[in-house]
């Protein structure tokens, strides 16, 4: 992979209200966006409830006028828009390959090619269209800016790791430990399908990536609006070796409870640098969000590399800006995020990282590559502002037309956990019609290679053992156009196990657990202490191969990502 120019971080502060959508139109894929004329937009744009109060006529309306690009070429802004990949990462977003924009509010247009067989309107293209609309000035920032998007927290699908009660646990060494409830998030793909009909592996991927998508999209939209602000202002984009200050222009956009402390674009030796400092005021208190991006163009608008990073200050106990977790003793928390990207023609490779650090005014959050530093771990005395909760890495290498490619998502709930949780996803062909996912555990997140290494059946139960066993949870998924879901059924999945150290129960003692996660023990025939439970987890058929090697042999691969996975750092 290509190397990147190190980014010097600057502080930035921001805020927005949460919504899944902000503007109504859709496009089918990046190629259509780049080669077709711009679609006619619906005149009724969605308006942010947080930021719609200011109707001052002086608000910058992000309109697209015929102004000079400011790059010394005499180009109009139409030329700038058509070549935006030169100075801004065209067609870049983060989204689950399964996610469909029909879930989004205010959806009014759907474009779909006849041969497409996956999601009717993939959210990835929805997201890039939203960003493009800000870049071109087609959509005013004030209509779509939602500060709460920065404060979205990842969550589990309802089928993934539900609370499961048990009695007579065979690994209990004390009678007082034999009954209880296993906590949420630890049991993996417990049910074959989510309540929305999606296969559990699909539903969990969508649920976990929703927050990652919203944070990165809002960051890119905010930075993109700086470009249209420069063009609207008449100053144009900077020439090489210079920078422009857009603080006044960004404040004129009239975002409620938001103040831009600094906003600038610089072009240095052909490399674009975007910096923003925002302050978000909540109930009289100020919270900071930093946004910074270095973008390095390649031979043309369809070849480039770069890195976006951001910090978002929040506080436990303040509604709407809470970052959860029990490792940090402070209420003040800071979300840190990075998105490294590399585009080569129609192939996109990304690595997104995020974590919650303890406190405000943090330091050392980013490594020498300016990605979130996975080794910057919180310690109550030695490193009080390191990451303490919810470190996540999303890696993807995919085709921008079909979205087919390699995907992996790894996350670790707390800094003191022994293992990361990992989803590996593979499609059988470019149609995204079907494929399979493997869920399991890996090494600590700071040395993960992005591939499932094994399974832990008793993560949080009595006398639990975290030694990896040679299993994964495997689930086949298949797209159903009539329901717009990826179906997953029990007979096409290997996900069942008993939450014991052996992953099984022989039926000779008093163990009962909530197999169907109904909340009631004994409501189905299999929930009986006299019924044995044999694991149906997936295991390698070739004993000479490890779990990871066996998963790869099935056609799944770890995505090749910018800067590599932590194991190679």
């Amino acid at each position: 992979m290509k190397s990147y120019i190190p980014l010097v971080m600057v502080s930035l502060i921001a805020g927005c209200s949460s919504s899944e959508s902000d503007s109504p139109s859709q496009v089918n894929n990046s190629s259509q966006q780049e080669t077709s004329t711009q679609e006619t937009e619906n005149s009724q744009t969605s308006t942010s409830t947080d930021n719609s109060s200011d109707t001052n006529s002086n608000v910058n309306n992000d309109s697209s006028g015929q102004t000079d690009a400011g790059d010394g070429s005499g180009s109009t802004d139409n030329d700038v828009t058509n070549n935006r990949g030169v100075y801004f990462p065209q067609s870049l977003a983060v989204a689950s390959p399964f996610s469909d924009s029909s879930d989004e509010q205010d959806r009014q247009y759907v474009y779909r090619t006849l041969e497409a067989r996956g999601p009717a309107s993939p959210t990835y293209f929805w997201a890039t269209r939203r960003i493009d609309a800000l870049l071109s000035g087609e959509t005013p920032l004030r209509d779509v800016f939602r500060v709460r998007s920065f404060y979205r927290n990842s969550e589990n699908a309802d089928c993934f790791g539900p609370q499961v009660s048990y009695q007579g646990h065979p690994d209990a060494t004390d009678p007082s430990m034999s009954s209880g409830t296993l906590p949420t998030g630890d049991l993996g793909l417990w049910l074959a399908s989510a309540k929305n009909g999606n296969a559990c592996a699909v539903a969990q991927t969508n649920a976990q990536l929703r927050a990652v998508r919203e944070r990165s999209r809002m960051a890119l939209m905010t930075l993109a609006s700086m470009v249209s602000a420069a063009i609207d202002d008449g100053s144009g984009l900077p020439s090489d070796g210079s920078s422009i200050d857009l603080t006044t222009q960004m404040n004129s956009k009239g975002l409620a409870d938001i103040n831009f402390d600094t906003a600038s674009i610089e072009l240095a030796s052909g490399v674009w640098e975007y910096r923003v400092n925002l302050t978000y005021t909540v109930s009289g208190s100020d919270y900071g969000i930093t946004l910074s991006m270095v973008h390095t163009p390649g031979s043309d608008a369809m070849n480039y590399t770069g890195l976006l990073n951001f910090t978002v200050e929040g506080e436990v106990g303040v509604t709407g800006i809470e970052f959860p977790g029990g490792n940090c003793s402070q209420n003040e928390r800071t979300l840190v995020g990075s998105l490294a990207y590399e585009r080569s023609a129609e192939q996109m490779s990304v690595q997104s990282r995020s974590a919650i650090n303890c406190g405000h005014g943090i330091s050392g959050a980013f490594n020498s590559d300016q990605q979130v530093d996975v080794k910057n771990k919180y310690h109550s005395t030695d490193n009080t502002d390191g990451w303490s909760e919810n470190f996540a890495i999303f890696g993807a290498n995919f085709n921008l037309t079909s979205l087919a490619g390699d995907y992996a998502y790894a996350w670790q709930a707390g800094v003191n956990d022994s293992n990361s949780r990992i989803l590996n996803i593979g499609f059988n062909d470019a149609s995204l019609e079907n494929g399979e996912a493997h869920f399991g555990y890996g090494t600590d997140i700071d040395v993960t290679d992005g591939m499932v290494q094994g399974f832990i059946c008793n993560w949080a139960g009595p006398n639990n053992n975290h030694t990896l066993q040679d299993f994964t949870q495997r689930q086949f998924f298949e797209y159903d156009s009539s329901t717009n879901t990826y179906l997953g059924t029990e007979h096409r999945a290997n996900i069942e196990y008993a939450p014991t150290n052996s992953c099984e129960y022989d039926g000779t003692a008093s163990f009962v657990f909530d197999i169907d996660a109904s909340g009631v023990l004994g409501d189905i025939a299999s929930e009986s202490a006299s019924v044995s439970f044999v694991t149906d987890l997936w295991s390698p058929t070739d004993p000479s191969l490890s779990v990871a090697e066996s998963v790869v042999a099935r056609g799944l691969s770890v995505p090749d990502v910018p800067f590599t996975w932590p194991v190679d750092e």
Side-chain angles (χ1 to χ4, degrees):
M1 305 298 289
K2 298 176 182 176
S3 59
Y4 298 89
I5 296 176
L7 171 62
V8 179
M9 277 298 296
V10 294
S11 292
L12 189 139
I13 312 171
C16 318
S17 72
S18 70
S19 174
E20 295 272 329
S21 72
D22 37 49
S23 185
S25 70
Q26 305 285 340
V27 297
N28 187 64
N29 59 43
S30 63
S31 294
Q32 286 182 329
Q33 293 178 39
E34 293 159 7
T35 60
S36 63
T37 57
Q38 192 168 5
E39 309 89 12
T40 301
E41 284 288 291
N42 186 289
S43 61
Q44 298 179 344
T45 57
S46 165
T47 303
S48 164
T49 56
D50 280 3
N51 302 314
S52 60
S53 59
D54 190 342
T55 55
N56 191 318
S57 61
N58 292 326
V59 170
N60 187 321
N61 64 7
D62 295 37
S63 61
S64 294
Q66 295 291 326
T67 56
D68 192 285
D71 58 1
S73 64
S75 302
T76 67
D77 72 312
N78 281 343
D79 295 326
V80 172
T81 299
N82 291 336
N83 293 289
R84 55 186 176 269
V86 172
Y87 55 88
F88 200 90
Q90 184 177 13
S91 301
L92 173 66
V94 175
S96 165
F98 304 113
S99 181
D100 192 291
S101 60
S102 58
D103 295 338
E104 314 295 348
Q105 300 171 17
D106 301 321
R107 172 176 174 257
Q108 297 182 21
Y109 297 102
V110 175
Y111 294 82
R112 178 174 167 83
T113 57
L114 293 177
E115 68 273 18
R117 298 163 72 182
S121 183
T123 297
Y124 187 93
F125 303 134
W126 176 89
T128 58
R129 182 65 189 91
R130 303 285 70 74
I131 297 165
D132 286 351
L134 270 295
L135 187 63
S136 66
E138 178 183 355
T139 298
L141 180 63
R142 62 173 304 196
D143 282 0
V144 297
F145 186 74
R146 282 126 168 82
V147 71
R148 296 291 175 82
S149 291
F150 288 110
Y151 292 94
R152 289 292 295 265
N153 290 303
S154 295
E155 57 189 23
N156 292 318
D158 53 57
C159 58
F160 184 95
Q163 281 190 341
V164 168
S165 58
Y166 62 89
Q167 294 177 356
H169 200 290
D171 295 318
T173 56
D174 187 314
S176 65
M177 302 168 57
S178 63
S179 299
T181 301
L182 299 174
T184 59
D186 294 338
L187 292 168
L189 308 175
W190 193 250
L191 302 175
S193 300
K195 291 178 181 178
N196 63 13
N198 273 317
C200 192
V202 171
Q204 177 67 357
T205 303
N206 287 345
Q208 284 288 313
L209 286 178
R210 190 170 292 118
V212 181
R213 180 191 78 204
E214 289 302 294
R215 298 167 189 160
S216 60
R217 183 174 64 90
M218 197 55 60
L220 287 166
M221 289 171 69
T222 303
L223 297 179
S225 71
M226 295 169 64
V227 173
S228 58
I231 294 172
D232 286 345
D233 181 65
S235 59
L237 298 176
S239 57
D240 203 359
S242 65
S243 63
I244 55 174
D245 187 335
L246 296 165
T247 308
T248 300
Q249 292 89 329
M250 295 302 288
N251 277 317
S252 73
K253 294 179 183 295
L255 307 182
D257 301 320
I258 300 296
N259 182 72
F260 285 81
D261 301 312
T262 61
S264 65
I265 302 175
E266 180 179 357
L267 179 60
S269 300
V271 177
W272 296 87
E273 298 189 26
Y274 296 77
R275 300 183 181 92
V276 173
N277 272 9
L278 306 174
T279 300
Y280 176 34
T281 303
V282 182
S283 302
S285 296
D286 292 340
Y287 297 89
I289 300 174
T290 73
L291 307 176
S292 187
M293 184 173 71
V294 166
H295 178 72
T296 304
S299 58
D300 54 41
M302 297 175 67
N303 293 274
Y304 51 73
T305 62
L307 187 137
L308 161 73
N309 49 22
F310 53 89
T311 68
V312 182
E313 292 182 348
E315 185 169 356
V316 175
V318 180
T319 301
I321 63 169
E322 295 185 280
F323 294 128
N327 295 298
C328 173
S329 60
Q330 300 184 48
N331 287 335
E332 291 184 343
R333 312 280 175 87
T334 301
L335 170 76
V336 293
S338 60
L339 173 58
Y341 57 87
E342 178 173 354
R343 178 175 180 177
S344 178
E346 287 301 303
Q347 198 69 17
M348 180 71 80
S349 177
V350 301
Q351 180 178 182
S352 171
R353 295 186 179 188
S354 61
I356 296 170
N357 285 39
C358 194
H360 289 173
I362 62 173
S363 61
F366 300 94
N367 62 20
S368 60
D369 295 325
Q370 294 305 311
Q371 291 194 109
V372 178
D373 190 354
V374 72
K375 300 186 185 302
N376 178 41
K377 293 184 174 183
Y378 167 80
H379 189 277
S380 58
T381 57
D382 296 337
N383 192 28
T384 58
D385 62 355
W387 76 264
S388 56
E389 336 284 338
N390 301 317
F391 202 108
I393 303 175
F394 173 61
N397 192 330
F398 56 95
N399 180 275
L400 279 166
T401 300
S402 67
L403 299 186
D406 300 320
Y407 294 87
Y409 183 69
W411 73 102
Q412 190 161 306
V415 67
N416 297 316
D417 280 3
S418 59
N419 300 84
S420 55
R421 294 163 169 83
I422 299 176
L423 270 166
N424 294 124
I425 297 163
F427 294 96
N428 287 327
D429 56 50
S431 71
L432 306 191
E433 182 180 20
N434 56 60
E436 71 177 42
H438 287 255
F439 170 76
Y441 293 83
T443 54
D444 189 299
I445 194 90
D446 68 349
V447 289
T448 184
D449 64 359
M451 180 60 75
V452 171
Q453 304 292 328
F455 201 76
I456 299 170
C457 294
N458 185 11
W459 177 269
N463 196 31
N464 56 79
N465 188 328
H466 287 189
T467 300
L468 291 175
Q469 300 193 56
D470 291 338
F471 299 121
T472 75
Q473 287 185 311
R474 183 203 71 90
Q475 184 168 40
F476 178 83
F477 52 81
E478 185 170 20
Y479 188 72
D480 180 6
S481 59
S482 66
T483 60
N484 200 28
T485 57
Y486 277 95
L487 302 180
T489 58
E490 291 183 4
H491 77 281
R492 304 179 87 174
N494 305 106
I495 63 173
E496 294 183 343
Y497 67 97
T500 64
N501 288 334
S502 67
C503 303
E504 298 183 341
Y505 169 62
D506 62 11
T508 64
S510 59
F511 185 42
V512 179
F513 61 100
D514 194 2
I515 295 172
D516 60 350
S518 66
V520 179
L521 283 175
D523 61 337
I524 58 176
S526 55
E527 292 178 3
S528 170
S530 62
V531 176
S532 62
F533 197 98
V534 178
T535 179
D536 186 40
L537 296 173
W538 179 86
S539 60
T541 57
D542 184 346
S544 68
L545 298 179
S546 68
V547 168
E549 291 168 339
S550 297
V551 171
V552 171
R554 292 187 64 82
L556 285 77
S557 299
V558 175
D560 186 12
V561 297
F563 298 116
T564 75
W565 290 86
V567 68
D568 293 322
E569 289 185 358

